[in-house]
Amino acid sequence: MQALSVGAVVAFLREVLEANEIFSDLWIVGEVSNYNRSQLGHRYFSLKDSAGVLRSVLFRDTMPGMQLKDGDRVLAHGRLTVYAQRGDLQFVCDFVRPEGVGIIAARFEELKLRLEAEGLFEPGRKRPLPRFPLRIGLVTSAAGAALQDVKNVLASRWPLATLVFAAATVQGPEAPGEIAGALRALAHEPGLDFVILARGGGSAEDLSAFNSEAVARAVFGMPVPVVSGVGHETDESIADYVADLRAPTPSAAVERSTPDIREVLRALLGMDRALAGNGRRAIGQAAARVESSARRVERAGPDAGALTRDVSLQADQIFRVLERALAANRGRTDEVAGRLGALNPHATLARGFAIVQDARSRKVVRTVRKVRGGDRLSVAVSDGAFWVEVS
């Protein structure tokens, strides 16, 4: 058997260590000892406990403001390698915090600092949302309350939009992969205006899927804006930082990303009134100019009569053009107002329909299977409501 050189053995060991995923993503708790800062600014030390010692290094450009001293108990993240010149096993740190911070908080901070350095949170890359969206993507659990919250708010606030739903588990070890997969699926959906990423409140462990690198990079890679509505008001996640717009809850995500149809209708009616007023003013101003011109022509000389008739003819033509333009604009406005008005439930009642509700719960009765003898019902018609009792 051929003998190997020392350098070949050390290089082989280094390659094996660095190729192993476990050794390239390690969290270690230990006590700092033999701390030394080199002239180049690198910080060399050992991490030890009662069972062993591990040589470690925090390079100059990694967390330059981090100060360590012998006796500190720390939680460190990094990778194992072999320092070839001495043949030593070495732990190369990229993140260090006092041990009391806790692993979940430390993981959150380490990922946040790393992604921020890559530019994933850069405000300049945040994209504006369309003012009047027509197709909205949604990623959340099919069994969670967030799905129904989003549907209810969207139906009330902006029913003209279509919701494109991609289901994903939002809690547990499978959640990061499923959320990232659902986002990638929506990335290929044609005509989406933006995507809402939603989940109800929970503990830090419950929301951990939204602090994963896989979800952060999936949000960053979306071709359309992403609105995050994860947890409650006080919760924050890595997905919030990467998203184009952050909302405190799923319901707020809809409210902050869509217009209110009632406000849009009021604005349209205001525009209609303003357009009619502007048209009348324009006609009045044109008439005044024509009359002024006619008087000047009349005073100009012996041919005033002929010129006055020409001016009057031109005035008639101007009036007809302005009246046609005003009628066309009013027709377009009436068409839009009519389409929006068709969504008004009172218009449905006026056509002879009725709304039947349970007297106690106020829930709408949609099927006879929900009604029992003796139930009291409220029946709303176009001009009022009355009570009935089921026999």
Side-chain angles (χ1 to χ4, degrees), residues 41-159:
H42 306 314
R43 288 145 291 176
Y44 296 96
F45 54 96
S46 295
L47 287 176
K48 68 175 186 178
D49 58 19
S50 60
V53 178
L54 182 62
R55 289 183 179 273
S56 307
V57 60
L58 191 62
F59 289 122
R60 176 182 60 194
D61 296 331
T62 303
M63 303 187 72
M66 187 65 189
Q67 300 296 326
L68 299 173
K69 64 180 185 298
D70 288 352
D72 287 346
R73 287 194 60 81
V74 298
L75 173 65
H77 178 268
R79 58 185 175 84
L80 283 180
T81 186
V82 174
Y83 184 54
Q85 283 75 2
R86 291 198 303 264
D88 289 340
L89 183 67
Q90 188 175 54
F91 182 49
V92 179
C93 301
D94 55 33
F95 180 84
V96 179
R97 280 290 182 267
E99 180 186 3
V101 169
I103 187 67
I104 293 178
R107 284 181 181 275
F108 178 89
E109 187 176 358
E110 184 273 332
L111 180 60
K112 179 182 175 183
L113 290 174
R114 180 155 51 86
L115 296 183
E116 185 175 22
E118 292 184 32
L120 269 67
F121 308 158
E122 184 63 38
R125 60 159 290 273
K126 307 288 186 180
R127 296 161 292 189
L129 271 60
R131 189 175 179 185
F132 301 107
L134 295 178
R135 283 173 62 80
I136 301 173
L138 173 63
V139 174
T140 191
S141 169
L147 174 60
Q148 198 58 48
D149 289 345
V150 169
K151 284 183 175 180
N152 290 342
V153 176
L154 188 63
S156 170
R157 184 176 178 83
W158 188 239

Side-chain angles (χ1 to χ4, degrees), residues 10 32 44-45 62 68 129 141 239 248 268 276-277 317 328 369 372 379:
V10 172
V32 175
Y44 296 96
F45 54 96
T62 303
L68 299 173
L129 271 60
S141 169
L268 283 172
Q317 294 173 346
R369 292 193 300 273
R372 295 180 176 86
V379 180

Side-chain angles (χ1 to χ4, degrees), residues 9-20 81-82:
V9 173
V10 172
F12 174 74
L13 291 174
R14 180 175 182 174
E15 182 179 345
V16 170
L17 280 175
E18 294 184 350
N20 191 301
T81 186
V82 174

Side-chain angles (χ1 to χ4, degrees), residues 148-300:
Q148 198 58 48
D149 289 345
V150 169
K151 284 183 175 180
N152 290 342
V153 176
L154 188 63
S156 170
R157 184 176 178 83
W158 188 239
L160 300 182
T162 298
L163 196 64
V164 183
F165 176 53
T169 300
V170 294
Q171 183 175 332
E174 304 299 325
E178 290 195 21
I179 294 170
L183 287 169
R184 287 192 292 269
L186 288 179
H188 300 289
E189 186 72 26
L192 281 188
D193 291 298
F194 59 85
V195 172
I196 295 175
L197 178 60
R199 188 210 190 280
S203 66
E205 291 82 359
D206 294 337
L207 301 179
S208 61
F210 299 90
N211 292 325
S212 70
E213 185 171 355
V215 171
R217 296 197 181 278
V219 171
F220 182 77
M222 285 297 291
V224 296
V226 176
V227 180
S228 69
V230 177
H232 296 309
E233 180 72 45
T234 57
D235 297 322
E236 64 175 20
S237 66
I238 297 295
D240 291 335
Y241 294 117
V242 185
D244 298 274
L245 177 65
R246 189 252 175 179
T249 63
S251 296
V254 182
E255 293 170 356
R256 296 187 180 185
S257 61
T258 59
D260 189 331
I261 194 168
R262 292 172 289 272
E263 295 178 1
V264 173
L265 181 57
R266 283 194 293 269
L268 283 172
L269 294 175
M271 291 170 57
D272 177 52
R273 289 191 291 268
L275 181 61
N278 290 338
R280 287 191 294 270
R281 282 193 296 272
I283 292 174
Q285 292 168 0
R289 288 195 297 271
V290 170
E291 291 177 2
S292 176
S293 298
R295 287 193 295 270
R296 287 197 299 271
V297 169
E298 187 176 0
R299 294 192 298 267

